[in-house]
Amino acid sequence: MLKKVALHDVHLALGAKMMAFAGYDMPVRYSSDLEEHKTVRERVGIFDVSHMGEFFVSGPNALELIQKVTSNDASKLVVGQAQYSCFPNETGGIVDDLLVYKMEDQKYMLVVNASNIRKDWNWINQHNDFGATLEDQSDDYSLFAVQGPKATDVLQKLTSIELDKIKFYHFAVADLTGVDEVILSCTGYTGAGGFEVYVKNEHARQVWDAIFEAGKEFDIKPIGLGARDTLRLEMGYCLYGNDITDETSPIEAGLGWITKFTKPFINHEQLLQQKENGVEKRLVGFILREKGIPRAHYTIVNMEGIPIGEVTSGTISPSMGIGIGLGYVKSEYAKPGTHIGITVRNKNLEAIIEKLPLLKL
Amino acid sequence: MDFPNELKYTQDHEWVKIEGNIATIGITEFAQKELGDIVYVEVETVGENIDSGEVFGTVEAVKTVSDLFMPISGEIVEFNEELEASPELVNEDPYGQGWMIKVKFDGDLPAELLTAEAYSELVGA
């Protein structure tokens, strides 16, 4: 039985095509993937991503637990700041990627992928040797991503705080359309700018409707998971389950920047060794130089046609009109500018490895 | 959803229009809606004889890729080249400008082709 987000009926009424995703019945598109993508790049769109999980970690030893289970250094956070991080496992892979929010001095919110809520919850509890208080409030919160160049203009109409003052990867707990204690986080998965809005389910409808009303003048549109995927791929953001898994290390995945050896954490010894000695494969972004669309699990070859890796995510880039993707290649091929081939239906299409983001904004 | 009565349909969501010994083939309104924005139609089998049920090409939407299956056996005599520059015609006009191939066939139509009514029931629309 699929779980439903609080506004399930609203999405049906908007004509969304629904799809099973991470155990939830989620809107995949309302009108057209391409239109929705363009709406976010050019104006403003709103995503219901309430399937995401929210855990709260509190108490005098909250930070110690977070430092042990996550790869980034949460001691650097100030109240009102968020950071991208991951939970490394003990065998060189990743349990999940997540955002860590410092809510108060001894209180943090961890935002995790819907598909991993149970796995993550068990993982953190298993490593809670510190007596930190853990609460899973995933079923109590709705999460709306309001993304695009006009997102701040839309939300500013609804809150008394100055949104321009909230820097990237910072947040405020503030009023929104008369609802108190809404978390307004200057984060997102699109590269288009904007906020992610966490609200208790009982206020979800009121907040969603108010954002729509405020966004009318900018022609705000609801956006499905289809466009969410093309938007994140243009930026080269990893998707758990595709680009990072239980078997890929953060060093291989290009997540060295969130793997800080300033403190011990689970499996830091192995990851440090990888960082110092190098890894055999690396996650890279690439752009096709001819017509065709890469898809997950297609083979990546070198210019002699010899397999060197595998695509983990691929699509047509709606902004560029050409095939783009992420995939793992043997490290000697990982340098930007390297020419590679993507095997699409028995033909090797030429591609070039590019620095991320793939879409140069 | 629109499933014109004069066409025949397959369980793989293709439509077939018969004129003499030429069959024009495309995908249905239901199929294009399920796929979403179509960005690429690849048919490299013009001139080939292909059996009913075999793959004659591929349709790529933003999120998915699907094989295209021959509804009848015959020789592919034409690909709709308009689709190379404007694959969105499959979304906009699936039974008209979004047609995909023309096939020259001999003999009878396969018995398993569906009427509009039967296809409509199949997809629950």
Side-chain angles (χ1 to χ4, degrees), chain A residues 11 14-19 26-34 36 222-227, chain B residues 32-37 61-64:
Chain A
H11 303 308
L14 285 165
K17 176 177 162 51
M18 308 297 282
M19 176 189 76
M26 296 298 289
V28 61
R29 89 174 64 90
Y30 298 84
S31 58
S32 134
D33 297 322
L34 297 174
E36 290 170 28
I223 314 294
L225 292 183
Chain B
Q32 68 83 9
K33 278 223 169 94
E34 284 295 306
L35 289 167
D37 293 305
V62 175
K63 298 308 306 166
T64 45

Side-chain angles (χ1 to χ4, degrees), chain A residues 17 28-29 31-35 225-227 229-230 233 291-293 295 298 314-316 318 344-345 347, chain B residues 32-42 44 57-65 67 83-85 87:
Chain A
K17 176 177 162 51
V28 61
R29 89 174 64 90
S31 58
S32 134
D33 297 322
L34 297 174
E35 274 303 308
L225 292 183
D229 194 51
T230 54
L233 255 179
K291 204 166 170 175
I293 303 173
R295 306 281 181 187
Y298 285 6
T315 183
I316 187 166
V344 179
R345 292 185 286 281
K347 269 187 301 188
Chain B
Q32 68 83 9
K33 278 223 169 94
E34 284 295 306
L35 289 167
D37 293 305
I38 287 158
V39 290
Y40 190 26
V41 181
E42 184 183 86
E44 294 180 333
T58 312
V59 58
E60 298 248 23
V62 175
K63 298 308 306 166
T64 45
V65 51
D67 283 334
L83 300 183
E84 287 189 355

